[in-house]
Structures are given as C-alpha cells and as structure tokens.
Amino acid sequence: MTTLPPEGQDGQTPADQTPNVPAPEAPVPPAAPAAPETPQYQAPQQPAQPQYQAPQQPAQPQYQAPPAAPQYQAPAGGQTPPPGGYQQPQPGYAQPVSDPVSNVTLNYWLSVFFTWIPALIFFLIEKDKGNRQAYDYHRDNLNFSLLRVAAVIAAYILMVIPYIGWVLAIIVWIGLAVLFVFHIIAAVKAPQSYRNGERPPFIFNIPLVK
C-alpha cells in the first residue's frame, strides 16, 4: 500500500512548495586599513608688532597774568605821584658823587709800602677826571715815590765805589728811612688836608712829574 502525501489545499503538490531559504550572503572583503593622516604644517605665528604711538606732548602750562600791582595811595595831605612810578628829581637835589678822599687815602698808604706802582696807577686813573685838587695830590704822591726809588738806586750805585762808596751808601740808606717816615706822615695827613683845601702834606718834594 502506497502512502501518498496529502495534497495541499491549493492544489499544489508538495514538490511545488519550495521552502523559503535565505540566499547565502556574499562574503564582505575586509576593509583596507585607513592610511595615517599626515599632519598639516602650520607656520609659526609671528608676534604682533606693537603699534607705534607718538609721544604725548606735555600740556603747556596755562599763562597766568601776574597779580595787579597795588595802587599807590597818597598820604593824607600829600600830592599824588605822576604815573609811571619814576619821579624826576626835584630842582636843587644834588646827585651823590664819589668822595675822592678815599682814593687819595688808599693811594698814599699803598705807596708807603709799594712806592711807585700804586702811585702811577692812581695818577693815570685820576688825571682825566677833571678834579684839579685830586690831580695835584696824586701827582705829588707819584713824585715822592719816584724820589724814594731814585734814592734806592743811588745807594746801590755808591756801594760799587771802593772805600768811600760804603760810607756814602750808608748815608743814603739813612735818608731812605727818613723818606719812609715822611711818606707815612703824609698818608696820615692827606685826608684832612684834602678836605681843608690845603696843598699835599709832603715836607719836601721834587717835581719829577709836572
């Protein structure tokens, strides 16, 4: 007895009924390894250049006007001075002048110790000032100083003469000491004699300079 498979309901034989078997998938090839990325070169960044700023000029000081001068107030009962601040000297006002007595005194005392050098300097300074009395005092002082210098020269010359020269030289040196004392006396009396209008106070003199 043959056993037949049962027929399907739709009239198909079992042979026609093929089971749905999924098709085998194709093998996937392995993925190739990714190439390493080459690092991109980056240029070094240059430091930013500082921007030049022009130096700031110092602020100019503001000019401030000087304070106004105080107004002059005339004393009670007085006259208002003229504008400008300068007052003209009133008639009869004598301008102060330098006293020539101080120059005469200084000249005489310097000449006592330094003879002709200060006497010549003061004579050249005072001769063109027009003061006749001061000129006479400085001239006579120069003459007396030159007399003392001449006596010194004579003493050295006499010392050269044999025998009698030493005696004469000693006499001249004594005379020089006397002239030195006379010059001191004249220096002491010169200021008072000048104020009194008297002649130069030399005991004697030789007018070498006119």
Side-chain angles (χ1 to χ4, degrees):
M1 175 175 180
T2 303
T3 304
L4 296 174
E7 295 179 359
Q9 296 177 3
D10 53 358
Q12 293 180 356
T13 59
D16 294 334
Q17 295 179 356
T18 302
N20 293 328
V21 178
E25 295 179 359
V28 179
E37 296 181 358
T38 303
Q40 297 182 359
Y41 173 78
Q42 295 181 357
Q45 297 181 358
Q46 296 182 357
Q49 296 293 335
Q51 297 182 359
Y52 174 76
Q53 296 182 357
Q56 298 181 359
Q57 296 182 356
Q60 297 292 336
Q62 297 181 358
Y63 174 76
Q64 297 181 358
Q71 297 182 357
Y72 175 79
Q73 296 180 359
Q79 298 180 356
T80 304
Y86 177 75
Q87 297 182 3
Q88 297 292 338
Q90 299 179 359
Y93 176 75
Q95 296 290 339
V97 295
S98 59
D99 187 8
V101 177
S102 59
N103 289 338
V104 170
T105 305
L106 181 61
N107 183 17
Y108 274 54
W109 281 109
L110 289 177
S111 301
V112 168
F113 301 99
F114 303 102
T115 62
W116 65 275
I117 297 177
L120 178 61
I121 294 174
F122 277 92
F123 173 76
L124 296 176
I125 293 175
E126 296 291 338
K127 71 175 184 177
D128 296 330
K129 290 187 176 181
N131 189 337
R132 183 63 186 180
Q133 185 182 6
Y135 173 81
D136 292 340
Y137 270 70
H138 292 294
R139 179 200 60 195
D140 285 9
N141 182 60
L142 177 60
N143 287 333
F144 197 81
S145 300
L146 293 176
L147 178 61
R148 292 177 57 192
V149 173
V152 173
I153 297 175
Y156 281 105
I157 294 175
L158 292 175
M159 292 174 62
V160 181
I161 302 174
Y163 305 111
I164 194 173
W166 284 97
V167 177
L168 297 177
I170 292 174
I171 296 175
V172 174
W173 284 110
I174 295 174
L176 280 172
V178 175
L179 293 177
F180 179 76
V181 174
F182 287 170
H183 211 158
I184 294 177
I185 295 174
V188 173
K189 293 183 177 181
Q192 189 62 33
S193 298
Y194 187 92
R195 292 189 179 95
N196 295 336
E198 300 173 357
R199 294 180 58 83
F202 288 104
I203 298 175
F204 71 94
N205 206 344
I206 298 177
L208 300 175
V209 179
K210 301 296 183 179

